[in-house]
Amino acid sequence: MDHNLENIVNHRISTLAVLMKRQVFNIIARKELKITPDQWVVLYFLWQENGLSIGELAKRAKKDFANVTRIVEKLVKMDYVTKKKSEKDSRVCNVFLQPKVEAIKNDIQNCWKEASDVALKGVTQSEQKQLTDILIKIENNILLDLE
Amino acid sequence: MDHNLENIVNHRISTLAVLMKRQVFNIIARKELKITPDQWVVLYFLWQENGLSIGELAKRAKKDFANVTRIVEKLVKMDYVTKKKSEKDSRVCNVFLQPKVEAIKNDIQNCWKEASDVALKGVTQSEQKQLTDILIKIENNILLDLE
DNA sequence: AAACATTATTTGTCACGACAAATAAAAAAT
DNA sequence: ATTTTTTATTTGTCGTGACAAATAATGTTT
């Protein structure tokens, strides 16, 4: 077994993810956006399908339910979304986009684009394809392992 | 621009990193180890060079100084390391391994191995090489961008 | 030497990860 | 119909990101 931390994929990917998050925070700070990447992710899934429940958001974003509750809480506080108990099943809480989010949609997409451009500088299309394919393979391995 | 979150490398890598961390926590829980991956990382660099300073640890682990302070704090509390002010420069704090860590070194390395084995199941050697090469490229892009 | 700048570390605050335990409502079992 | 189980969400606690501000010690300038 290779004991060099640098050669352990898990560690390499974790470290890279941290660096990427740091870089995105830089972009956000520069643009003075008052929103975090994890809040974007929730908004993203709502743009795909408005009115999703907390649980459905958690599943799609592969996040902890408890944490999604709190992310949505913040989005509510900033008036980007509202929560409403489902009429059919009052355990369920649906989340709806508020008009105010339209104003930041473009900014958010530009952040994603900027971050992506920096990361992929000099990485060819074919490499990007290879990367994605392998990452998906690994992701599936882990999802399977987590049941 | 591609607005599908799944196709943004940054997001894919972030998500995968979260899944990997979740999986490692599972392994740790199963083995009843009382230590976290980020604490391992600090120990790892101390195994490479005992007596490193907080700052040097932060640099090598690519972590925030403040956070390394707190990670080391916990390791001290668990008696895995000790801290000692440098004699030459009393601003500097050197961290030294305690004999107690020897007992968990193997466990830690086995965790890394287990996690890696799950992740890389069915990923060929050549794919692993491709993956690492591209990840390094991206890492360098981002490090450059962060100055 | 005294004032100022730099460097190493610490402390505080917030966001979000994990997990466990608590609620509340619906569904299933008896 | 009441009890039990399951499901959706929330709350609490802890570890670790990020960043800013505070300390403390060293270096530099004048």
Side-chain angles (χ1 to χ4, degrees):
Chain A
M1 174 195 175
D2 188 348
H3 290 126
N4 187 340
L5 205 48
E6 299 302 305
N7 295 332
I8 295 172
V9 234
N10 303 54
H11 181 253
R12 190 169 277 297
I13 289 176
S14 294
T15 309
L16 181 53
V18 170
L19 294 177
M20 284 180 151
K21 186 159 264 188
R22 203 177 293 169
Q23 184 223 355
V24 169
F25 273 120
N26 276 4
I27 297 177
I28 292 174
R30 203 166 55 240
K31 300 196 175 226
E32 298 183 7
L33 294 179
K34 294 274 183 307
I35 196 163
T36 69
D38 294 288
Q39 290 164 12
W40 306 352
V41 170
V42 168
L43 292 181
Y44 170 80
F45 287 107
L46 290 175
W47 278 320
Q48 297 237 312
E49 188 175 341
N50 199 5
L52 285 174
S53 68
I54 300 280
E56 193 54 40
L57 280 169
K59 240 179 264 165
R60 297 200 187 180
K62 299 199 183 73
K63 286 181 187 297
D64 188 290
F65 284 43
N67 296 328
V68 171
T69 294
R70 280 176 283 232
I71 291 174
V72 168
E73 226 168 64
K74 278 165 201 114
L75 289 171
V76 168
K77 207 167 285 172
M78 294 187 291
D79 203 32
Y80 286 136
V81 304
T82 47
K83 278 168 74 172
K84 222 176 70 175
K85 283 218 173 243
S86 160
E87 312 233 323
K88 287 184 209 147
D89 182 340
S90 57
R91 288 171 307 181
V92 173
C93 219
N94 296 107
V95 185
F96 297 90
L97 292 165
Q98 287 289 86
K100 193 180 159 195
V101 283
E102 282 308 312
I104 56 163
K105 193 169 179 179
N106 264 333
D107 290 327
I108 290 179
Q109 288 177 347
N110 286 337
C111 276
W112 283 339
K113 174 157 174 44
E114 247 183 70
S116 197
D117 285 350
V118 169
L120 293 177
K121 200 168 166 189
V123 179
T124 66
Q125 281 293 327
S126 127
E127 283 174 322
Q128 292 184 31
K129 172 93 176 67
Q130 285 169 19
L131 177 65
T132 305
D133 288 348
I134 302 171
L135 290 180
I136 291 175
K137 223 177 192 175
I138 294 177
E139 193 173 312
N140 286 334
N141 281 339
I142 293 177
L143 286 174
L144 207 72
D145 188 68
L146 294 171
E147 272 92 10
Chain B
M1 174 196 175
D2 189 347
H3 290 124
N4 187 341
L5 204 48
E6 299 302 305
N7 295 332
I8 296 172
V9 233
N10 303 54
H11 181 253
R12 189 168 277 295
I13 290 176
S14 294
T15 309
L16 181 54
V18 170
L19 293 177
M20 284 179 151
K21 186 159 264 189
R22 203 176 294 169
Q23 184 223 354
V24 169
F25 273 121
N26 276 3
I27 297 178
I28 292 174
R30 203 167 55 241
K31 300 196 175 226
E32 298 183 8
L33 294 179
K34 294 275 183 306
I35 196 163
T36 70
D38 294 288
Q39 291 163 11
W40 304 352
V41 170
V42 168
L43 291 180
Y44 170 80
F45 287 106
L46 291 175
W47 277 319
Q48 297 236 314
E49 188 176 342
N50 200 5
L52 286 174
S53 69
I54 301 281
E56 193 54 41
L57 280 170
K59 239 180 263 166
R60 297 201 187 181
K62 299 198 182 73
K63 286 181 188 296
D64 187 290
F65 284 42
N67 297 327
V68 171
T69 295
R70 281 177 281 233
I71 291 174
V72 168
E73 226 168 63
K74 278 167 199 113
L75 289 171
V76 168
K77 207 167 284 171
M78 294 188 289
D79 204 32
Y80 287 134
V81 303
T82 48
K83 279 168 72 172
K84 222 177 67 176
K85 283 216 174 245
S86 161
E87 312 232 323
K88 286 184 210 147
D89 182 341
S90 57
R91 288 171 306 181
V92 173
C93 219
N94 296 107
V95 185
F96 297 91
L97 292 165
Q98 287 289 85
K100 193 180 158 195
V101 283
E102 281 309 311
I104 55 162
K105 193 169 178 179
N106 264 332
D107 289 327
I108 290 179
Q109 287 176 348
N110 286 337
C111 275
W112 283 340
K113 175 158 173 43
E114 246 182 71
S116 197
D117 285 350
V118 169
L120 293 177
K121 200 168 166 189
V123 179
T124 65
Q125 282 292 328
S126 127
E127 283 174 323
Q128 291 184 31
K129 172 95 176 65
Q130 285 170 19
L131 176 65
T132 306
D133 289 347
I134 301 171
L135 289 180
I136 290 175
K137 223 176 192 176
I138 294 178
E139 193 173 311
N140 286 334
N141 281 340
I142 293 177
L143 285 174
L144 207 71
D145 188 68
L146 294 171
E147 271 91 13

